[in-house]
Amino acid sequence: MSFLSLAFALFLFLGLLMFHLAPGRFRRHVLLALSYAFYVSASATHALLLLAVTVSVFLAARAVERSRTEDTKLGVTAVAVAGLGVVLVGFKCAAWLVETVQAQSAKGGADATLLLVAPLGLSYYLFKLMGYLLDVYWEKVPVEHNFVSFALYAAFFPQIVSGPIQRAGDFLPQLEALGRPDPADLTAGLRRILFGLFKKLVIADRLTVLVAGVHADPSAYSSLELLLGAYCFALQLYADFAGITDIALGLGQLFGMKGPENFQMPFFARNVQDFWRRWHITLSSWLSDYLFAPLRISLRRLGNIGLSMAIFINMVAIGVWHGASWTYVAFGAINGVFMVVSALTLKKRNTFFRTHPLLTRLREVAGPLLTFHLMVFAFIFFRASSVPLALEYVRHLIPGQPGKGVAPFRLDWEQLGLGRSALLGVLVGVAMMEALTWAGRKSDWRDRFLAAPRILRWGLYYAVIVIVVVLGNLETQRFIYAQF
Amino acid sequence: MRSSDSARGDDSVARVALRLVVFCVPLALAWLGLEWGMKRVPNSYSMKRAGLEALSAEVDTVIVGSSNAYFGISPALLSGSAFNLANVSQSLYYDDLLLTQLAPRLPKLKRVLVPISYISLSFQLYDSVEYWRQYYYQHVWGMRPPREEDRTNVRMWSLVALYSPRLSLNAARKGFKASLAPEVDGRGWYPVPAEHFPADLSDEAARVPLARHHGMMHAKNEPANVASLEHLLSLLRQRNVEVVLVTLPVWRSYADGMKPEVWARTQATLERLTQKYGARYLSFLREPRLEAEDFHDPDHLNARGAVRFTQMLNVVLESSGQVAVPPRGDGAVSHSSPDAR
């Protein structure tokens, strides 16, 4: 059941009704029932897996709590985390295997009979549960004794499709205080959902045809068209993922649950490190806490080499989290190299710019531009269906490739599947998205907007709704990050 | 204390809900207005329904099938009073539903032409890029899509969603006075103008529709399609209506690209069904009397070709004399066009 389907709209309406009509003490039960109903609509079998994993982690955390010795605590935690890791890797590899077999089958080989497709939101809920176990082990969070609350943490339907990966220490206390949601949360949630729909339907989806075309056959496009395609994919991915995150956060707010932000205007990042503090924040901070920090500590004695190794492994892990594919490994490794270079040269760069203050302004402009282009380059590997195809894309980006029958600076809008005016509209949409994101984070701007006459606010909402409905693709069901 | 907090909360939530309802009223009214308006905009499906209802007392021949029949058979050139109910990507599932619904309402119905193309037995509308057309059958004829998952699609209930809000707003700007199928004539035929003449009928050009068709053809669909065809044959035989299965002409580049084993399987099925139900089968697949100038593309006739082909078809249909319904349980009454190869 996609967040963009009519069925989900009905489900949400009925769910909200049930939630608000239920007595306060049963509201978490209602939310849990809704979450499992949502999950069962995707796959009843996978819902059983979710339940089994949840019960296992719930019991493991209780066992950690009861352990009398440090060794037992460590042993139970290690076994449980490893078990979750096996489930994650097993399903991701199986999904890769199924795709490979199906690809072979499409070429006339054996029929794909495996049905081990990755369960909905597997990467998200397993990371939540792994984080919870480690936090319990490190005594950062108390063990949750209420199974309903804990199961809801794992299965909370707004977050299970594409995150954000909320920490237990942030989620569970909100359940304890779960009363009727603040009315302001309801309207804020709806605003957030509308903003998410705008990002997804008006920006991301309008770039789909162009991006799919250039990535399907890079040799058929000019260097300029491929460059445009690479820019467009970066924007599409951002709008798509930020869109579903907004929808998830908005849905949570409708039920009185606040979630963590996942983006902070990442394409304005000053350097690659800054980018990863602004992009998919909940994943990068999760890996930073549970993988990078322990690695950094254990490799400290190796100095910069140890730091570089920790950074590189962490970035490859970010890549591989998306799936068992060499393109994701390449994406992670490329970012690893960027991050290592950035981290090792940061001090020297800062010193240089301190001694050359006239160049500081240039750095403020050039830094985000360079970072954006580095990420655009890395995203080519993220989007490509194989590493050779990504390399072919990069090769054709360079003008004047021998044997290529396309003029390097051709811009054939028809072939791209997106008109010049449509692209301009998308860019205006991106500018609006970033301006609204910026304004939304400034409390004085937000307060001023909320204090504005209703006719003005409603007028703006109506305008956005009309833009979404008229320009958006109402058939859309899929989000890019829902596959992970 | 807690209960008073709760009550206050209730009031606030209720107020927000009320404001939300008020907020939605203009949107709902605008949407309903568009729905009302779009109901007045004719499309090929609604035009065919209106046309057939107007002629229901006299129609004796009905043509179903997909685009090659929609473009390729001009009912006005057939003897008697014929009507073309074919439409783009119309599958046997919908042919069957249409005839099941309409046969009792056509008192003079004596003959039904059921075109069988290369893809007919292995194609399902919901499985294709044209899947959205299935919602037209819901809106115009009240026919539900076969798959449960398609029944919760917003297009089931909303014409604005079906046409897209943008197209609906454009229609509203014109006062809903536009027609989405102005070319369709009073008997349901779409004469494709020969303006692209000469059409590209090369092997290269034929590869495009062949690739598209092969992508939509799945052996798993065959049992359901054969069942639809059998139901249709059985139903019409009970009503003493003659069924003529017809394969329309395609250009040789398309015919050469057809997979022989698939077509042989179709032929074998048709052979079996014509024997079982006493139907006729006419194949004009490689019709030598038609020229390149008669084709719009490798698998569709243009208006000129449709006129020429319909005249040939009419001769063959009438060559057996009066339209006769074979007795039930009769053996094979299967004929091929004398020119078919």
Side-chain angles (χ1 to χ4, degrees), chain A residues 213-234:
Chain A
V214 294
H215 273 277
D217 184 8
S219 65
Y221 292 84
S222 73
S223 302
L224 190 58
E225 288 165 347
L226 291 177
L227 183 64
L228 183 65
Y231 286 148
C232 284
F233 178 62

Side-chain angles (χ1 to χ4, degrees), chain A residues 6-7 20 24-25 27 178-184 186-187 190 206 454 457-458 461-462 465-466 469-472 474-475 477, chain B residues 2 6-7 9-10 12-13 16-17 19-20 22-27 31 131 135 152-155 157 160-161 164-166 169:
Chain A
L6 184 64
H20 285 287
R25 65 181 186 282
R27 255 179 226 135
L178 193 71
R180 289 177 191 276
D182 182 347
L186 273 177
T187 48
L190 290 171
R206 290 168 73 79
R454 184 171 296 164
R457 282 181 289 129
W458 284 24
Y461 299 149
Y462 283 133
I465 288 170
V466 168
V469 168
V470 173
L471 296 183
L474 299 185
E475 270 301 290
Q477 300 273 319
Chain B
R2 186 168 175 78
S6 174
D10 275 347
S12 302
V13 170
V16 169
R19 273 209 303 274
L20 190 62
V22 172
F23 177 84
C24 289
V25 166
L27 292 172
W31 192 278
Y131 73 96
Y135 301 113
T152 54
N153 192 301
V154 66
R155 288 173 163 171
W157 321 108
V160 178
S164 87
R166 199 187 314 192
L169 284 172

Side-chain angles (χ1 to χ4, degrees), chain A residues 45-69:
Chain A
T45 317
H46 290 163
L48 288 175
L49 175 74
L50 171 64
L51 182 63
V53 168
T54 305
V55 170
S56 307
V57 174
F58 181 74
L59 295 176
R62 299 285 295 267
V64 170
E65 185 184 39
R66 283 196 303 270
S67 299
R68 292 191 180 159
T69 65

